[in-house]
Amino acid sequence: MVATDGWMLAAADASLSLLLLVVHSAPAPNYGSLFLSLASNDTAALHLRALTLHPHVAGTRANSLTAAYVRDAFSSLSIPAHITPYSVLLSYPVERSLSLAVPGRATTTSFALSQETYPNDPYASATAEVMPTFYAYAASGSVSAEAVYANYGREEDFAYLASRGVDVAGKVAVARYGRIHCEDIVHNARVAGAAAAVVYTDPLQYGGAPGEAWFPDSRWLPPTGVQVGSLFRGVGDPTTPMWASSEGCERVSVEEAMDTDDMPGIPALPVSARDAAEIHAALGGDAAPADWQGREGSPVYRLGPGPAILNLTYTGNDTMATIENVFAVIEGAEEPDRYVILGNHRDAWTFGASDPNSGTAAMIELAQRLSVLQKQGWRPRRTIIFCSWDAEEYGLTGSTEWVEENREMLSSRAVAYLNVDVSVVGPVQDPDNSSQTVYDSWVKSNISPLDQAIPYIIRYTMTSCGWRNSEIQGSVGTLQRHFRITAASIWGMMALRLADEEILPFNYMSYPVELEAYTKVVENEVGGTAISCSPLHNAIRALKTAATKVNGERKELQRQLSSNQLKKDSMKIRSLNDRLMQAERAFTNREGLFKQEWFKHLVYGPSEQNDWESASYPGVENAIASARKENTTESWKFVQHEIHRVARAITQASVVLAGSLT
């Protein structure tokens, strides 16, 4: 059985550029070397096996057992651990059906909506436990209507259909994964007037070349493979928007929660490439454009509408359920009120062997190494917190609720957040080439470290990053073993440096360079308008000056430390660290992003058009997208307003870094 799920942004915010120094620099002496020498694939493999014996969707008993397992694993290492539960709105399938009828055709095709196992699948006996393929929070209902092909389901795809005179209203939109995530596809379909949506994994993106093998013989999705997911476009518990789902808290009703614009509002189903091929073969109308077509050998994709008629029924159970976050804490010795947070989600739509439990196994293996260091006398300068999040797949639910419940503490105390969900699906030492580091491998492969370590942007700012090893080739089992321990090594070394070094290893010098690149993109997008990016350029120059100043201060304090001219508990160090830590928070705005108010970081955040992507200057991007649609004086004036908002945030960061009042 194979199911894939797209990634979403995780719980924390900020800019990876600060953390590149952490990966790049030499490891801490003694304990860092000992940490690397303790790498054990056997340990991680045992944890991964235990966590993936059964499917464990959030809110189920099976996932509760994984929470207990993770808690007990930490406790067995003498690291205090506990579970924090929340009651949240989750969604499960009750009834699903999909059939295809064609006028003049005697028979109706009923789709099985099931994924086939492969020969000798060691998990075949557990497939009966897998939840039927579905979309969380899809509206319940039945629709019988002509099908319309909508390519990737983007706004521009539906606009193209309208320009061709293809009416989507009241139809079933058929779209494929590949550019945006399922919740955005279904949302766009609803906005275009569709009565229901069907989303599939096209072999063009997920099947390899014609004739290529699929899983388990390669990385490609089998013909009956289905990508499931959540259609909720918000984050956290839908019944407690913008506040924590604590015991006895205020809640909106389930009906009110399901009636918001963040919910899909129409029935929808995910289907396989095999089922979609039958639908495509039955569609008529004009041939779709060349870039809407499938891979070689696929039927010609036509736009419709009809004559194919899809009969879709979905009944869901949208219900309150208990989720469980797991936490383990190694208290800091000198600065226990400063937190270095390591996180990974635990819930999965099926078994979760890659996403997320390869990351969970790596996190436990990392903790085991740190427990050995503790026995050798090590204790971190700052507190390290391990977090195993629940219900991430539904909409970052567990992490969001915890952040909302602890927002003031995190705002003042969190140093950094490091997240790993996937540690074994792709390419310390490179396990493929012992003569070079992982960083060197990225550079030689023309892979930007900024792509490998994706910024995670959320409400209450702290410096953060997350990554997934990707593009794996070759023997999956062998490479998984190497990369799982490599991920734990990189993750752990970053945590050790953040937790142990007297001066936080944050380097703001790269920030102005990145911001200038983002600003040039904005200038290209607003070319030919009266919009000015001068406020951004001016603010970035000030940030560069402040970053140069604070970098010099850090080097001088490091010189004084190394020559014993300065004590490790000096208030000068604490003051500098506070500025380095708080500067990132200055990029936030309490009003949040335009159209995405929950997210507060104005430089990095999720794309409003595509949850699969992070965006630079997301509020500006959203304003430009609106202005292009409306094309009014006021809408373009609002773009200028958003540019000024970002410029003010950058200026505030400069003031914090400089450490003096204006």
Side-chain angles (χ1 to χ4, degrees):
M1 165 125 359
V2 176
T4 62
D5 32 51
W7 64 275
M8 297 180 70
L9 298 173
D13 25 298
S15 158
L16 172 66
S17 55
L18 300 183
L19 289 173
L20 291 180
L21 183 65
V22 179
V23 181
H24 218 0
S25 301
N30 302 325
Y31 289 123
S33 298
L34 176 58
F35 175 84
L36 290 175
S37 73
L38 295 170
S40 170
N41 177 68
D42 291 342
T43 300
L46 287 172
H47 292 307
L48 183 60
R49 169 72 174 170
L51 289 164
T52 59
L53 285 173
H54 303 278
H56 45 285
V57 176
T60 64
R61 181 177 180 275
N63 203 43
S64 182
L65 291 175
T66 67
Y69 179 89
V70 172
R71 178 201 59 200
D72 293 347
F74 283 122
S75 297
S76 71
L77 303 173
S78 299
I79 301 175
H82 66 277
I83 290 175
T84 300
Y86 295 98
S87 178
V88 300
L89 178 63
L90 299 183
S91 177
Y92 307 101
V94 175
E95 179 186 1
R96 317 156 305 139
S97 67
L98 182 68
S99 63
L100 168 67
V102 180
R105 187 181 295 180
T107 59
T108 296
T109 301
S110 295
F111 298 110
L113 302 180
S114 63
Q115 303 181 94
E116 297 175 358
T117 60
Y118 59 88
N120 303 315
D121 181 357
Y123 285 89
S125 61
T127 57
E129 304 172 32
V130 173
M131 201 166 285
T133 55
F134 78 113
Y135 280 140
Y137 305 111
S140 296
S142 295
V143 173
S144 180
E146 290 180 319
V148 171
Y149 175 47
N151 196 23
Y152 294 112
R154 300 166 297 185
E155 291 181 0
E156 56 263 40
D157 294 325
F158 285 104
Y160 175 80
L161 289 173
S163 73
R164 293 289 301 271
V166 178
D167 187 10
V168 179
K171 308 297 193 301
V172 177
V174 177
R176 57 182 175 177
Y177 282 101
R179 294 292 182 271
I180 62 176
H181 203 237
C182 55
E183 64 267 32
D184 298 311
I185 294 172
V186 176
H187 172 80
N188 293 339
R190 186 195 73 192
V191 170
V198 167
V199 184
Y200 72 98
T201 45
D202 197 298
L204 180 66
Q205 285 79 29
Y206 299 95
E212 270 197 82
W214 53 76
F215 186 86
D217 298 316
S218 78
R219 64 193 178 107
W220 300 112
L221 194 67
T224 63
V226 177
Q227 180 167 322
V228 301
S230 171
L231 299 185
F232 179 44
R233 299 179 81 231
V235 291
D237 173 27
T239 71
T240 57
M242 305 292 284
W243 66 89
S245 184
S246 307
E247 185 175 353
C249 71
E250 175 189 9
R251 294 184 186 276
V252 302
S253 69
V254 172
E255 292 74 23
E256 289 173 313
M258 292 298 295
D259 195 39
T260 67
D261 191 56
D262 283 332
M263 291 298 181
I266 59 174
L269 285 174
V271 303
S272 68
R274 180 179 294 175
D275 293 345
E278 289 199 49
I279 297 171
H280 273 297
L283 274 172
D286 293 337
D291 58 352
W292 286 40
Q293 296 296 327
R295 72 177 183 185
E296 183 183 349
S298 297
V300 174
Y301 291 178
R302 298 186 175 276
L303 301 177
I309 295 173
L310 289 175
N311 304 293
L312 185 155
T313 294
Y314 177 75
T315 303
N317 177 24
D318 305 310
T319 184
M320 301 302 294
T322 299
I323 63 171
E324 297 172 305
N325 292 334
V326 184
F327 301 97
V329 181
I330 301 176
E331 188 173 9
E334 288 87 3
E335 297 183 78
D337 61 336
R338 292 293 182 260
Y339 306 147
V340 175
I341 306 171
L342 283 65
N344 157 266
H345 83 91
R346 191 185 65 257
D347 65 298
W349 291 122
T350 55
F351 296 98
S354 177
D355 181 4
N357 297 132
S358 63
T360 312
M363 184 167 68
I364 299 173
E365 197 259 337
L366 186 163
Q368 181 159 333
R369 295 197 223 175
L370 294 184
S371 73
V372 174
L373 266 60
Q374 286 183 293
K375 293 174 183 176
Q376 298 294 319
W378 168 81
R379 188 177 174 189
R381 179 184 181 91
R382 304 177 185 91
T383 295
I384 296 175
I385 303 176
F386 296 95
C387 310
S388 175
W389 308 119
D390 202 352
E392 185 270 355
E393 299 289 5
Y394 279 84
L396 305 176
T397 310
S399 56
T400 298
E401 297 312 309
W402 185 74
V403 169
E404 288 177 334
E405 191 167 41
N406 297 279
R407 63 181 181 181
E408 298 305 328
M409 289 275 281
L410 294 172
S411 292
S412 61
R413 297 187 176 190
V415 171
Y417 176 77
L418 308 177
N419 187 88
V420 172
D421 281 348
V422 183
S423 71
V424 298
V425 292
V428 203
Q429 289 301 110
D430 183 346
D432 288 336
N433 186 345
S434 60
S435 68
Q436 61 187 20
T437 66
V438 173
Y439 182 91
D440 293 332
S441 298
W442 290 346
V443 172
K444 290 179 180 179
S445 301
N446 293 318
I447 299 171
S448 166
L450 283 169
D451 294 331
Q452 286 295 83
I454 305 161
Y456 286 78
I457 316 302
I458 216 164
R459 189 174 184 180
Y460 307 107
T461 302
M462 66 191 80
T463 300
S464 72
C465 81
W467 69 92
R468 57 175 60 200
N469 290 320
S470 59
E471 297 304 320
I472 202 165
Q473 303 287 339
S475 172
V476 175
T478 301
L479 288 172
Q480 282 185 354
R481 289 193 293 273
H482 287 303
F483 278 103
R484 187 161 51 237
I485 59 175
T486 301
S489 295
I490 296 173
W491 201 1
M493 289 303 294
M494 293 176 77
L496 279 174
R497 293 207 59 210
L498 288 163
D500 283 348
E501 293 198 2
E502 289 86 358
I503 300 176
L504 290 172
F506 292 164
N507 183 4
Y508 280 87
M509 293 299 293
S510 60
Y511 232 131
V513 177
E514 296 293 328
L515 296 182
E516 282 290 359
Y518 306 151
T519 302
K520 288 179 181 178
V521 172
V522 173
E523 286 179 322
N524 290 336
E525 291 182 345
V526 299
T529 72
I531 303 300
S532 171
C533 289
S534 293
L536 287 173
H537 289 299
N538 294 335
I540 293 168
R541 279 194 293 271
L543 179 63
K544 183 177 181 180
T545 300
T548 302
K549 176 179 181 290
V550 80
N551 204 42
E553 288 182 48
R554 184 182 64 198
K555 290 179 179 179
E556 174 58 23
L557 289 182
Q558 286 173 331
R559 185 194 65 78
Q560 293 179 23
L561 277 170
S562 63
S563 61
N564 296 318
Q565 298 176 27
L566 190 68
K567 293 183 178 180
K568 293 183 179 181
D569 59 355
S570 167
M571 283 303 297
K572 288 184 178 180
I573 294 176
R574 178 76 172 201
S575 174
L576 177 61
N577 283 341
D578 284 348
R579 287 154 56 197
L580 291 170
M581 189 175 77
Q582 294 294 336
E584 187 70 43
R585 289 151 169 78
F587 291 114
T588 65
N589 182 286
R590 68 174 62 90
E591 296 174 2
L593 297 179
F594 172 53
K595 289 191 172 183
Q596 296 169 286
E597 291 76 11
W598 195 92
F599 298 96
K600 307 299 183 183
H601 202 287
L602 299 189
V603 174
Y604 295 113
S607 168
E608 199 267 337
Q609 288 78 34
N610 181 6
D611 266 351
W612 266 357
E613 293 182 352
S614 59
S616 307
Y617 301 158
V620 175
E621 180 184 274
N622 294 344
I624 291 173
S626 292
R628 284 173 174 166
K629 287 181 188 176
E630 301 170 15
N631 199 27
T632 63
T633 301
E634 284 302 310
S635 64
W636 285 107
K637 183 179 179 181
F638 192 78
V639 173
Q640 188 69 69
H641 168 70
E642 285 296 310
I643 287 174
H644 277 292
R645 286 183 75 205
V646 176
R648 287 193 290 270
I650 296 172
T651 300
Q652 285 297 313
S654 303
V655 172
V656 173
L657 275 182
S660 58
L661 298 172
T662 59

